[in-house]
Amino acid sequence: MKLLTHNMLTSNIIKGVTKGFPLKIAASEVKVSEVDFNPEFIARMIPKMEWSALCQAAESIGQLGDLPKELAPEYESDEEFLKKAHHVLLEVEVKEGELICPESGRKFTIRNGIPNMLLNEEEVAK
């Protein structure tokens, strides 16, 4: 699971959960792989993200590096910043572990890089 994906997942469909974001990560295996750098893609994705949640997730798995915790103005034209964001968003992957709902504590298994977000019928808010 890439951290880009993690930033868009929520557990707010669980009974009693109002926000369910950001999900906590308990990683047992993290893999870093090189991915082609596309600065335009990264610059377009950043406004769609919850930046503090991304930084928190990266830090929780030891991959924050020197990525700034605050977005700099005009980051779109800062290639060094975009490369750091690219690394965290697309090159870091949680291969094995769990996502944990911050409100209910419900755990979702991550296996082979794929989070299983399926709920039991009795867990679904109606």
Side-chain angles (χ1 to χ4, degrees), residues 43-111:
R44 283 193 316 268
M45 288 308 297
I46 288 174
K48 297 172 175 40
M49 313 220 38
E50 179 73 40
W51 190 257
S52 62
L54 173 67
C55 292
Q56 180 183 27
E59 191 169 44
S60 77
I61 59 171
Q63 293 293 324
L64 183 62
D66 56 356
L67 184 70
K69 290 188 177 183
E70 300 286 326
L71 276 176
E74 300 181 25
Y75 64 82
E76 302 95 335
S77 58
D78 183 344
E79 189 164 317
E80 279 308 304
F81 169 79
L82 292 174
K83 284 181 179 178
K84 292 172 187 175
H86 162 83
H87 171 74
V88 170
L89 288 168
L90 299 177
E91 295 184 334
V92 174
E93 183 175 9
V94 178
K95 297 296 282 181
E96 303 289 332
E98 294 176 324
L99 295 173
I100 305 161
C101 173
E103 294 174 52
S104 70
R106 167 68 152 82
K107 295 179 180 180
F108 302 94
T109 303
I110 303 167
R111 201 169 278 129

Side-chain angles (χ1 to χ4, degrees), residues 11-32:
S11 58
N12 64 351
I13 190 132
I14 298 174
K15 277 184 191 169
V17 173
T18 55
K19 188 173 179 186
F21 181 85
L23 296 166
K24 296 175 185 158
I25 302 174
S28 56
E29 181 184 346
V30 175
K31 181 180 178 184
V32 178

